[in-house]
Amino acid sequence: MKKKSIILLMVAFLSFLAIPFKTNATTPVTIYFFRGDGCSYCAAAESFLESLAEDEEYKDLFVVKEFETWYDEDNADFAEEVADVMGDDLGGVPYIIIGDETWNGYSSNYDEDLKAKIKEVAEDENFVDPLAEMVANYEAGNSEENNSSLVSIAILLGVVIVIGGGLYFARRGVESDSEKESKTEKKKEIPSEKKDEKVVEEPEEKAEEVAEKKTEEKKEEQVVEKTSKPKTTKKNASKNTNTKKKTTTTKKKIIAK
């Protein structure tokens, strides 16, 4: 009896473990939020979602994917495609999608409906996001376009660098050749310049020498004149005295006779 009861308890326990339990979705709900920069209603909806992300009850239940449509034409076109899939005529933004329900526009009256829909989708194990694949393909296409544009930009930069480097080195080569030519020309011209300088300088040196000689000769003449004048005056004085003596003697002889 004891063995049978133990076996029955084990079977009951295993069957209890086999009963499926309803659990919340393993991944958070994705809220698709199309907005425009400068849109006041979009700003109000965004502030509500931000406050909800700080709420302990809701913060782990959802994530938000934002698409700006006023200044991004690709996002605007994508919003029209999403509206067609969801069966809506898109009149503007904000445009909010949670599960299979949409809200075009925003008011604080929507807050409770948005919160209820988040919980409903999060607790539904069989929920399938109708936009998941579409959004993933769109984001992948944008990333590929961005990568291709980055690659093209990198190629253009490489071409510009190669061409610029080639032009730079070619220019440097031409400048170095011209510098060499100018140096050789200067070397050739230097001797002729020196000769010209000599030819020009020689007459100037001779003229200076001639002027110096003339000044020296003048000085010598002046010295000679100074030394010669006193001698001549002394001789003339002696001659005059002699003539005077002779005249006096002649006078005396005449008187004596």
Side-chain angles (χ1 to χ4, degrees):
M1 293 293 293
K2 289 182 179 180
K3 287 183 179 179
K4 288 182 179 180
S5 61
I6 292 170
I7 291 169
L8 290 172
L9 288 171
M10 290 179 68
V11 170
F13 180 72
L14 291 172
S15 62
F16 177 77
L17 291 175
I19 296 173
F21 291 94
K22 187 177 181 180
T23 58
N24 293 339
T26 56
T27 55
V29 179
T30 301
I31 298 175
Y32 301 101
F33 179 42
F34 293 87
R35 62 177 184 81
D37 285 342
C39 168
S40 60
Y41 294 102
C42 299
E46 189 172 13
S47 63
F48 166 71
L49 293 174
E50 288 175 354
S51 66
L52 200 61
E54 296 175 356
D55 191 328
E56 292 293 332
E57 186 178 358
Y58 292 93
K59 67 178 183 179
D60 296 327
L61 298 181
F62 71 95
V63 292
V64 179
K65 279 187 178 292
E66 293 187 8
F67 300 90
E68 201 287 320
T69 60
W70 281 10
Y71 298 96
D72 192 321
E73 293 182 0
D74 293 335
N75 286 345
D77 295 336
F78 182 62
E80 293 287 347
E81 294 175 5
V82 170
D84 290 338
V85 171
M86 300 303 295
D88 293 328
D89 184 10
L90 186 62
V93 288
Y95 183 50
I96 303 169
I97 304 167
I98 303 174
D100 57 355
E101 193 169 351
T102 63
W103 290 263
N104 197 179
Y106 174 75
S107 170
S108 59
N109 297 327
Y110 297 168
D111 292 351
E112 295 301 321
D113 293 338
L114 293 170
K115 289 162 71 174
K117 191 63 180 179
I118 290 170
K119 276 194 171 183
E120 178 188 339
V121 175
E123 292 173 357
D124 186 2
E125 289 180 343
N126 299 321
F127 171 74
V128 178
D129 189 342
L131 300 175
E133 186 177 357
M134 183 179 182
V135 172
N137 291 332
Y138 176 71
E139 290 177 342
N142 285 340
S143 64
E144 287 177 1
E145 288 178 0
N146 292 331
N147 291 332
S148 62
S149 62
L150 289 173
V151 170
S152 61
I153 290 169
I155 291 169
L156 287 173
L157 286 173
V159 171
V160 170
I161 289 168
V162 170
I163 293 172
L167 292 172
Y168 174 76
F169 287 112
R171 195 172 184 181
R172 288 294 300 273
V174 172
E175 288 178 354
S176 61
D177 292 336
S178 62
E179 286 176 358
K180 287 179 182 178
E181 290 177 358
S182 63
K183 284 180 181 179
T184 53
E185 288 177 357
K186 284 180 180 179
K187 287 180 180 179
K188 291 178 182 178
E189 291 175 356
I190 285 168
S192 62
E193 287 177 358
K194 285 184 178 179
K195 287 179 183 179
D196 295 337
E197 287 176 358
K198 285 181 180 180
V199 171
V200 174
E201 287 176 357
E202 283 177 359
E204 290 180 356
E205 290 178 355
K206 288 181 180 180
E208 289 177 357
E209 290 176 358
V210 170
E212 288 178 357
K213 287 180 181 180
K214 286 182 179 181
T215 53
E216 288 178 357
E217 288 177 356
K218 285 181 180 180
K219 287 179 181 179
E220 289 177 357
E221 288 177 357
Q222 288 175 358
V223 172
V224 171
E225 287 177 357
K226 286 178 181 179
T227 53
S228 62
K229 281 180 180 180
K231 290 180 180 179
T232 52
T233 52
K234 284 180 181 180
K235 287 180 181 180
N236 292 327
S238 61
K239 286 181 181 179
N240 291 327
T241 52
N242 291 327
T243 51
K244 285 179 180 180
K245 285 179 181 180
K246 286 180 180 181
T247 51
T248 52
T249 51
T250 51
K251 285 179 178 180
K252 284 180 182 180
K253 285 180 179 180
I254 292 168
I255 293 166
K257 289 181 177 181

